[in-house]
Amino acid sequence: MRLEITCDDRLGICQDVLQILRDHEIDLRGIEVDPKGKIFLNFPELAFDDFRHLMPQIRRIPNIIDVKTIPYMPFEREHYEFSLLLSTLPDPVLSIDSKGHIDIINDAGLRLLAGQEESLKGEPLMQYVHGISLQRWLDKKPRDPIYEAVTIGNSEYYAQLLPIWVNDEEGSTAFAGAVMTCKSEPVTATWQSQDNEKAFERLLTDNIAMKRVIKDAQRMAELDAPLLIEGETGVGKELLAKACHLASQRKDKPFLAINCAALPDNVAESELFGHAEGSISSQSTRKTGVLEQSAGGTVLLDSVSEMSIGLQAKLLRFLEDGVFRRIGEEQEVSVDVRVICTAQGNLYELVENGEFREDLYYRLNVLALSVPPLRERKSDILLLAEHFVTQACKKLGRSQVSLSRAAKERLKRYQWPGNVRQLENTMFRSVSMIEGYTLEPADIRLPELNQEDDQLALDIDDMSLDDAVRRFESHVLRRLYPSFPSTRQLAKRLGLSHTAVANKLRDYGIGKQRSGRSRKAEQTKK
């Protein structure tokens, strides 16, 4: 039987309650006191007559407000909640005392150690886990967690050890052991990099969508598969790619980039794969390409959408087989590199138009990120602007410059077609030209946008309302689709049904609706 007693705080009230239980010779199994004015009692079931006399006596105690029966004690509920939570976790979790003996273990931990809970409790964890001086670490009474590769059975895992410190009412602390978690699958070399978050520190943002991109990038950085980063010019695709490299296990190896849009086809092929002596001209010497130079590291193919169809085929073969031939040579070269590609806008639209190989697109699009433009990240404009102003002041060796309220409003209203790169260049130019210490709107030179630059500017002089609404709707969908390429994601973003959004995308020819040219190309292949 369990009782909940509601009361006002008074010295000795618990003693009065316990005295009544003693008078009735009731064996108390448990008591909990909530500082907010609750006392919980747990004792054996009573006969009806005994219980009928007990309740009024408790109610007559001064400062007692109410007494009622309850189905369980708060501690019991917390215990079952804790047990349920532990049992459903996919990763092994073990709690050990300060001597390294197992105290609590979840179901995944039982499977990992191939034992029963009763037989494992109290056993030294050291006899199951190898590769770490567990007792030496516990003897130091550590404050900080550690990450270690450990061996359990015949498999290797990556374990995290969190020290447990208990505080008493006087504020003193005592070391009570540790909690160990490890991945439920054998660890790979890229499971987690402790420098992962530091690698992305340069990507400043307060925008929810951009934070989601960075969070996804942190996970993708540790995977060793091709990565496609899409977004408008100047949004920071290369900076994101570099961060992904620095957060990976390849961070100590080269990171080399090649701009596919800035080089002619034959030059781009030579830069990427290299060439043999005399293959380009009679005077040309043997050249090692970017792929070989970055062996073990990362290659960034900037503006991969500008790559010719012929070069796309050679890149596809390398991605599939890991080998290539230098220009003018028959011998195959094998290198281990990770390929990251960037593309302006939505690369799949080029696939639909037959301008980019579909098989290469799917080979590159194993992992994908879409960086939103700055005009959709209004909260980032001032954050980045003030950061770039500070950077410019440091580069120019001058005192700190601030932005006036009017200047901030001007920056927020502008559409930034050049995105973050344009903002950075604008702030540097403004700081370098100003004579005072406060930037006003007149100090910030920005090209005036014409109607075509502002994707939501509409000339409705010769339009009906229906046409204007359709034009506006089309602009909104085209702007959002690169960031939400799934119709379900886009529908959730707009608060519409999946069917309604799918119909609108089809009506406006947005997304994965193949063009006639693409279908014709497929029929030709068949």
Side-chain angles (χ1 to χ4, degrees):
M1 179 169 288
R2 295 158 181 80
L3 293 183
E4 177 188 287
I5 302 174
T6 304
C7 58
D8 292 331
D9 188 25
R10 176 176 64 82
L11 185 65
I13 193 169
C14 283
Q15 293 180 357
D16 293 343
V17 172
L18 295 178
Q19 184 60 51
I20 291 177
L21 297 182
R22 283 194 294 268
D23 294 341
H24 285 265
E25 297 183 344
I26 296 174
D27 182 20
L28 183 65
R29 292 175 176 173
I31 180 172
E32 293 182 54
V33 179
D34 187 336
K36 295 181 179 180
K38 299 280 187 179
I39 301 174
F40 302 92
L41 304 176
N42 181 3
F43 48 83
E45 291 290 330
L46 298 179
F48 177 76
D49 287 338
D50 294 334
F51 179 74
R52 184 166 54 87
H53 291 96
L54 174 67
M55 296 292 279
Q57 291 184 43
I58 296 177
R59 288 193 175 97
R60 285 195 293 269
I61 296 175
N63 291 68
I64 295 293
I65 298 173
D66 187 29
V67 183
K68 64 180 180 180
T69 59
I70 54 175
Y72 47 76
M73 302 280 282
F75 172 79
E76 291 175 315
R77 185 178 189 278
E78 292 173 2
H79 173 75
Y80 285 112
E81 284 179 333
F82 177 72
S83 299
L84 180 62
L85 176 63
L86 277 181
S87 65
T88 56
L89 288 176
D91 298 331
V93 179
L94 303 93
S95 175
I96 55 176
D97 61 21
S98 59
K99 300 300 181 182
H101 298 113
I102 299 173
D103 183 31
I104 298 173
I105 183 169
N106 70 344
D107 293 350
L110 293 174
R111 292 192 297 269
L112 178 63
L113 302 185
Q116 298 296 322
E117 185 173 5
E118 295 77 15
S119 61
L120 289 173
K121 279 193 174 182
E123 289 292 310
L125 182 60
M126 291 172 286
Q127 65 179 317
Y128 301 99
V129 179
H130 306 283
I132 179 177
S133 300
L134 184 58
Q135 191 57 56
R136 185 181 302 172
W137 181 75
L138 292 170
D139 290 341
K140 293 179 181 178
K141 297 182 178 180
R143 292 281 181 176
D144 299 321
I146 61 171
Y147 303 84
E148 294 288 344
V150 298
T151 302
I152 302 176
N154 296 322
S155 300
E156 188 178 56
Y157 294 81
Y158 209 86
Q160 180 186 39
L161 284 159
L162 300 167
I164 302 173
W165 286 84
V166 179
N167 299 329
D168 61 17
E169 294 180 358
E170 286 73 31
S172 301
T173 59
F175 181 67
V179 172
M180 186 184 84
T181 61
C182 52
K183 299 304 289 181
S184 57
E185 297 293 332
V187 68
T188 66
T190 59
W191 180 67
Q192 176 143 4
S193 168
Q194 294 187 47
D195 296 328
N196 188 299
E197 292 186 4
K198 292 183 179 179
F200 292 87
E201 286 180 348
R202 292 182 61 192
L203 294 159
L204 303 178
T205 184
D206 275 336
N207 179 262
I208 295 176
M210 190 62 188
K211 286 181 178 179
R212 184 169 58 245
V213 171
I214 294 174
K215 185 177 180 181
D216 291 343
Q218 288 175 331
R219 291 196 296 266
M220 294 178 183
E222 297 168 353
L223 305 176
D224 211 24
L227 172 62
L228 176 62
I229 304 176
E230 296 178 317
E232 296 180 6
T233 180
V235 293
K237 299 187 293 294
E238 185 171 349
L239 188 63
L240 185 61
K242 185 66 178 291
C244 288
H245 169 74
L246 294 176
S248 73
Q249 294 296 315
R250 297 177 180 268
K251 62 183 177 181
D252 296 325
K253 299 295 183 179
F255 175 86
L256 300 179
I258 180 171
N259 190 336
C260 302
L263 300 173
D265 192 32
N266 61 330
V267 178
E269 182 177 1
S270 174
E271 288 292 321
L272 188 59
F273 300 112
H275 60 254
E277 183 177 353
S279 60
I280 303 298
S281 67
S282 59
Q283 303 298 322
S284 63
T285 58
R286 185 177 181 275
K287 176 181 175 61
T288 301
V290 168
L291 287 175
E292 286 184 83
Q293 295 174 35
S294 58
T298 304
V299 169
L300 172 63
L301 301 180
D302 193 17
S303 300
V304 71
S305 55
E306 303 296 324
M307 185 178 285
S308 69
I309 294 294
L311 194 53
Q312 289 177 30
K314 295 183 179 181
L315 175 61
L316 176 62
R317 181 172 183 270
F318 169 71
L319 291 173
E320 290 178 340
D321 303 331
V323 297
F324 64 90
R325 290 190 180 94
R326 302 185 193 95
I327 299 174
E329 289 188 1
E330 294 297 325
Q331 182 180 359
E332 289 187 334
V333 180
S334 176
V335 292
D336 172 32
V337 297
R338 185 188 190 184
V339 176
I340 299 179
C341 298
T342 67
Q344 292 186 23
N346 190 344
L347 188 59
Y348 194 80
E349 291 182 0
L350 298 180
V351 175
E352 293 176 321
N353 295 330
E355 299 173 15
F356 197 86
R357 290 181 64 107
E358 185 173 14
D359 47 5
L360 177 58
Y361 170 78
Y362 286 117
R363 194 66 181 81
L364 294 176
N365 196 33
V366 178
L367 304 171
L369 297 168
S370 181
V371 185
L374 188 57
R375 63 179 173 274
E376 294 178 9
R377 298 157 47 190
K378 293 292 186 181
S379 58
D380 284 349
I381 293 176
L382 295 185
L383 173 70
L384 293 169
E386 291 174 344
H387 171 72
F388 292 144
V389 165
T390 301
Q391 279 191 328
C393 291
K394 290 179 179 179
K395 287 181 181 179
L396 296 170
R398 61 163 298 159
S399 300
Q400 183 63 38
V401 172
S402 62
L403 289 161
S404 70
R405 179 177 298 180
K408 291 179 180 179
E409 289 300 320
R410 174 164 166 74
L411 294 177
K412 287 194 294 185
R413 287 196 305 268
Y414 194 68
Q415 290 296 311
W416 300 106
N419 292 293
V420 180
R421 184 186 297 117
Q422 183 189 9
L423 177 60
E424 181 178 15
N425 294 338
T426 299
M427 292 299 97
F428 184 83
R429 181 175 60 249
S430 301
V431 171
S432 64
M433 299 300 292
I434 189 177
E435 294 183 359
Y437 298 99
T438 303
L439 282 172
E440 298 292 346
D443 300 317
I444 302 174
R445 291 190 175 183
L446 290 170
E448 293 299 327
L449 296 179
N450 57 38
Q451 182 173 313
E452 293 180 356
D453 292 327
D454 186 352
Q455 295 187 24
L456 292 183
L458 297 175
D459 181 5
I460 60 173
D461 288 344
D462 298 322
M463 277 189 199
S464 66
L465 177 61
D466 185 57
D467 290 339
V469 169
R470 286 179 58 82
R471 180 77 63 85
F472 180 86
E473 192 173 61
S474 174
H475 283 317
V476 171
L477 291 172
R478 290 184 188 279
R479 174 180 291 186
L480 292 179
Y481 185 77
S483 300
F484 302 90
S486 161
T487 52
R488 294 190 183 277
Q489 294 176 7
L490 185 55
K492 184 177 180 181
R493 166 66 177 80
L494 295 172
L496 299 174
S497 70
H498 167 253
T499 303
V501 170
N503 291 336
K504 291 179 184 297
L505 292 175
R506 183 175 59 252
D507 291 343
Y508 298 129
I510 302 172
K512 302 179 180 180
Q513 313 302 323
R514 291 186 175 277
S515 64
R517 177 178 175 180
S518 181
R519 287 194 297 269
K520 185 177 180 180
E522 285 188 352
Q523 293 172 0
T524 304
K525 289 180 182 178
K526 295 179 181 179

